[in-house]
Amino acid sequence: MYEKIQETASWLKARMTTSPKTAIILGTGLGQLASEITDAYEFPYQDIPNFPVSTVEGHAGKLIFGKLGGYDIMAMDGRFHYYEGYSMKEVTFPERVMYELGINTLFVSNASGGMNPNFKIGDLMVIDDHINFFPEHPLHGKNFPTGPRFPDMHEAYDKKLRDLADEVAKEEGIRLVHGVYVGVQGPTFETPAEYRMYRTLGGDAVGMSTVPEVIVARHCGIRVFGISVITDLGGFDVPVKVSHEEVQKAANAAEPKMTEIMRELIKRSF
């Protein structure tokens, strides 16, 4: 696997005309952030050696390079999920490639179901911490030379970037909440009892991505900022039916706020 990672990175380096230090993973319904990237050039996943391919509606499936906030960035327009049948090594393959390309900061976004009674649909939740409920760990197996066998996770999500997001949100008049993200394998949405369980365990939002990517990024020494769009609510007295279409609709509605925060964070984090 490590040889494949290096092969993919070498293929990209030979075709890159920029030198990004920052990467963004665009989650469900948040692909429009890609339109903010200027001087862009891109590579469809199917054209990149060894790269998995997105199979989920709302995930375009391409790597985009260009500028955002005046700085070189790379963006994954579409991510990979464990529920698609990929192994954890495949799900987190892009983060390994990012490290080889010189990325040192990763911005991760997703759509998630809110369990905190103070949350509203359309809220942006800064991820302060996570709980890993995936049945397979992304670092299972032989340790990669990019990090220690037992990586520390006391600050998986960078405190300075979280504080900076609060500053940006206050200046722009954007409601921003904070919480713990629970990562689960999916692809079913949660039952009311599962929502209540995750809430009891300390979760504020639940989703089917992000945690594996963050673990591997931190193993590589990449600092991380994570943010969730609360696209539905669950675990309360009245059960609410959820569909992927409704999730996408709510995520798309929140996209302008997400774009503003991401753009300013990237500009100010350099």
Side-chain angles (χ1 to χ4, degrees):
M1 178 65 82
Y2 192 56
E3 290 74 18
K4 288 185 177 180
I5 291 165
Q6 292 177 312
E7 178 187 351
T8 301
S10 296
W11 187 91
L12 288 167
K13 285 177 182 177
R15 292 160 176 79
M16 290 166 59
T17 58
T18 50
S19 301
K21 298 297 182 184
T22 299
I24 309 171
I25 299 176
L26 305 175
T28 299
L30 300 176
Q32 287 304 308
L33 183 63
S35 64
E36 295 284 322
I37 300 172
T38 60
D39 303 318
Y41 59 100
E42 59 190 45
F43 304 101
Y45 291 162
Q46 62 265 27
D47 294 346
I48 304 173
N50 308 314
F51 230 73
V53 178
S54 296
T55 66
V56 182
E57 185 180 348
H59 291 255
K62 56 188 177 182
L63 277 185
I64 306 172
F65 295 83
K67 292 185 181 293
L68 187 64
Y71 295 95
D72 288 350
I73 60 99
M74 70 176 288
M76 284 185 66
D77 195 356
R79 56 151 52 93
F80 313 114
H81 304 82
Y82 188 71
Y83 64 72
E84 294 176 76
Y86 292 119
S87 70
M88 278 299 181
K89 292 290 190 295
E90 293 171 318
V91 168
T92 58
F93 187 86
E95 287 69 45
R96 295 292 186 189
V97 172
M98 288 175 188
Y99 172 79
E100 298 295 331
L101 295 179
I103 297 298
N104 58 32
T105 304
L106 175 63
F107 293 86
V108 186
S109 64
N110 62 51
S112 63
M115 303 172 289
N116 188 316
N118 296 318
F119 288 0
K120 304 172 184 176
I121 290 178
D123 275 347
L124 300 181
M125 185 193 86
V126 173
I127 304 176
D128 290 331
D129 204 345
H130 70 231
I131 299 173
N132 184 10
F133 263 94
F134 284 91
E136 180 186 349
H137 199 282
L139 301 183
H140 177 79
K142 184 179 179 180
N143 188 48
F144 281 77
T146 56
R149 171 77 280 188
F150 304 104
D152 176 73
M153 294 292 287
H154 84 278
E155 191 180 310
Y157 301 86
D158 190 85
K159 180 67 163 57
K160 290 182 179 178
L161 292 176
R162 287 184 275 143
D163 290 344
L164 190 57
D166 286 332
E167 290 180 19
V168 172
K170 184 177 181 180
E171 292 172 9
E172 301 297 330
I174 296 173
R175 172 179 159 89
L176 203 62
V177 297
H178 286 247
V180 174
Y181 177 86
V182 180
V184 298
Q185 69 171 336
T188 54
F189 290 110
E190 289 67 40
T191 67
E194 287 170 338
Y195 271 122
R196 290 193 295 270
M197 177 188 71
Y198 295 139
R199 178 62 181 162
T200 299
L201 292 174
D204 295 286
V206 59
M208 307 171 194
S209 66
T210 302
V211 170
E213 298 148 313
V214 171
I215 289 173
V216 167
R218 294 302 302 132
H219 182 255
C220 293
I222 298 172
R223 64 176 182 160
V224 176
F225 173 81
I227 190 166
S228 299
V229 179
I230 305 301
T231 54
D232 57 280
L233 300 170
F236 307 122
D237 293 336
V238 180
V240 179
K241 187 176 181 180
V242 184
S243 71
H244 185 63
E245 290 71 25
E246 290 171 334
V247 167
Q248 285 183 291
K249 184 178 179 181
N252 287 333
E255 188 272 336
K257 296 183 293 182
M258 173 74 76
T259 299
E260 185 64 31
I261 288 177
M262 286 289 195
R263 185 196 303 115
E264 286 301 311
L265 266 181
I266 290 168
K267 187 186 301 183
R268 300 183 194 189
S269 63
F270 277 84

